[in-house]
Amino acid sequence: MGIEKGIFKRTQLLLGDAAMDGIASKRVIIFGVGGVGSWCAESLVRSGIMRLTIVDSDRVCITNINRQLMATTETVGQVKVWALRDRLLQINPTAEIDARQQIFTDSTAESFHLDDYDYIIDAIDSLKDKVLLIQMATRTKAVFFSSMGAALKIDPTRIQVAEFWKVKGCPLARALRQRFKKMKSFPSRKFLCVFSDELLKNEGHDVTCGTEKCLCPKAKNGPGDKGLLNHEWCSSKAQINGTLAHITAMFGFMIAGLVIKDITEREKKQPLS
């Protein structure tokens, strides 16, 4: 406990012992550890979350370096969740970081046992998978937060938090609502989203990381990587949009802030023993 006391001294000073105990006891899962999810994970671990599951199937691409926490010239080609786990354990070696190189889809959804978590965070891009996660997460007792689109934005002052059905000016939120209405299947309860109503356009030309299908040379399966996923999403996207580190990081930090705020408020409501 010595190292933990030192790491979290300033957090404990602000929040108090009861809140710190509450934060340490919660189980959190983040789906997607790219520009939003990676910063969210770091903020949670620095704030005292001890049991964190991070889910992403991808490997670090050189084009991730401009905005993703664990993406550096040294980690290009590494499995994202493994690179991020290494980073998080450097912050708190006693944390339990479950790194899963997987995709959340209808065929894998049940394997994540969402009912086991106190907080579920959605930071994935795929519309189909995002719809499924929202539906399943809102059926659980876990507190659920979702990130809307963070690309094509510059202005940090326009980042906001709102209930999903009240999000305005976000094409991703609009597409999700349209999908729910078309399916005639809706989220089981309300949930908060981080979003921005700013929408710019790409000023530059679409570029890849220099290989035919945007696969980093280091990402190809070697003798020691047999059986591992080796996904790249660029070639399957209809359009690749520009992003900036300060925007995606603020989305992630705001979600982490919502988690910590919720935990501390719940701890204050606990009856004294």
Side-chain angles (χ1 to χ4, degrees):
M1 290 295 292
I3 189 171
E4 291 175 36
K5 287 184 178 180
I7 293 171
F8 303 120
K9 184 61 180 176
R10 296 298 178 92
T11 313
Q12 183 273 339
L13 189 61
L14 174 64
L15 301 181
D17 292 336
M20 293 306 297
D21 290 342
I23 291 169
S25 70
K26 299 298 183 287
R27 293 193 65 188
V28 182
I29 186 167
I30 302 176
F31 290 95
V33 294
V36 175
S38 60
W39 297 98
C40 181
E42 168 137 342
S43 184
L44 290 174
V45 169
R46 287 187 184 274
S47 298
I49 290 293
M50 298 292 295
R51 296 187 292 175
L52 177 66
T53 299
I54 50 177
V55 183
D56 198 302
S57 68
D58 209 356
R59 290 180 181 243
V60 177
C61 172
I62 198 168
T63 61
N64 300 150
I65 294 176
N66 84 314
R67 70 197 182 282
Q68 297 185 15
L69 176 73
M70 64 287 171
T72 69
T73 54
E74 295 298 316
T75 61
V76 168
Q78 293 182 19
V79 174
K80 282 186 181 180
V81 290
W82 295 358
L84 181 57
R85 178 183 60 193
D86 290 345
R87 162 77 176 189
L88 299 177
L89 290 176
Q90 288 175 12
I91 296 168
N92 183 5
T94 64
E96 298 175 16
I97 309 298
D98 183 4
R100 302 190 188 184
Q101 191 196 11
Q102 290 179 274
I103 309 173
F104 182 87
T105 64
D106 53 3
S107 63
T108 65
E110 295 297 336
S111 69
F112 292 102
H113 303 290
L114 295 182
D115 287 309
D116 293 343
Y117 294 92
D118 300 293
Y119 291 85
I120 300 171
I121 297 169
D122 159 39
I124 57 181
D125 296 325
S126 166
L127 185 65
K128 177 183 176 183
D129 299 336
K130 202 174 190 76
V131 165
L132 179 62
L133 179 56
I134 290 172
Q135 288 178 319
M136 292 188 65
T138 56
R139 293 190 201 116
T140 72
K141 293 181 180 180
V143 179
F144 175 62
F145 298 117
S146 180
S147 171
M148 297 293 105
L152 297 176
K153 304 175 195 310
I154 294 177
D155 187 352
T157 67
R158 293 173 71 168
I159 302 174
Q160 308 167 58
V161 176
E163 198 282 318
F164 172 66
W165 293 100
K166 295 183 179 179
V167 172
K168 297 180 179 179
C170 175
L172 178 56
R174 187 182 309 117
L176 287 166
R177 290 193 289 255
Q178 290 173 347
R179 182 68 64 93
F180 287 131
K181 291 174 182 177
K182 184 177 180 180
M183 295 168 58
K184 296 183 179 179
S185 177
F186 300 93
S188 297
R189 54 183 164 87
K190 295 180 179 180
F191 60 95
L192 293 178
C193 301
V194 175
F195 74 102
S196 168
D197 60 4
E198 181 181 25
L199 186 61
L200 304 176
K201 63 178 181 178
N202 288 316
E203 295 292 345
H205 298 291
D206 188 9
V207 293
T208 67
C209 67
T211 58
E212 185 177 355
K213 291 187 177 181
C214 199
L215 269 176
C216 299
K218 293 183 181 180
K220 295 181 180 179
N221 289 340
D225 294 330
K226 290 182 179 179
L228 294 182
L229 296 175
N230 188 19
H231 288 112
E232 57 85 20
W233 299 107
C234 295
S235 60
S236 64
K237 290 184 177 180
Q239 180 176 332
I240 299 173
N241 292 318
T243 50
L244 290 170
H246 68 276
I247 296 293
T248 61
M250 287 181 70
F251 270 60
F253 286 149
M254 288 184 75
I255 293 176
L258 290 173
V259 172
I260 300 304
K261 178 175 179 287
D262 189 77
I263 296 172
T264 55
E265 288 180 347
R266 289 172 186 268
E267 288 300 320
K268 288 180 181 178
K269 295 177 182 178
Q270 294 293 327
L272 296 175
S273 56

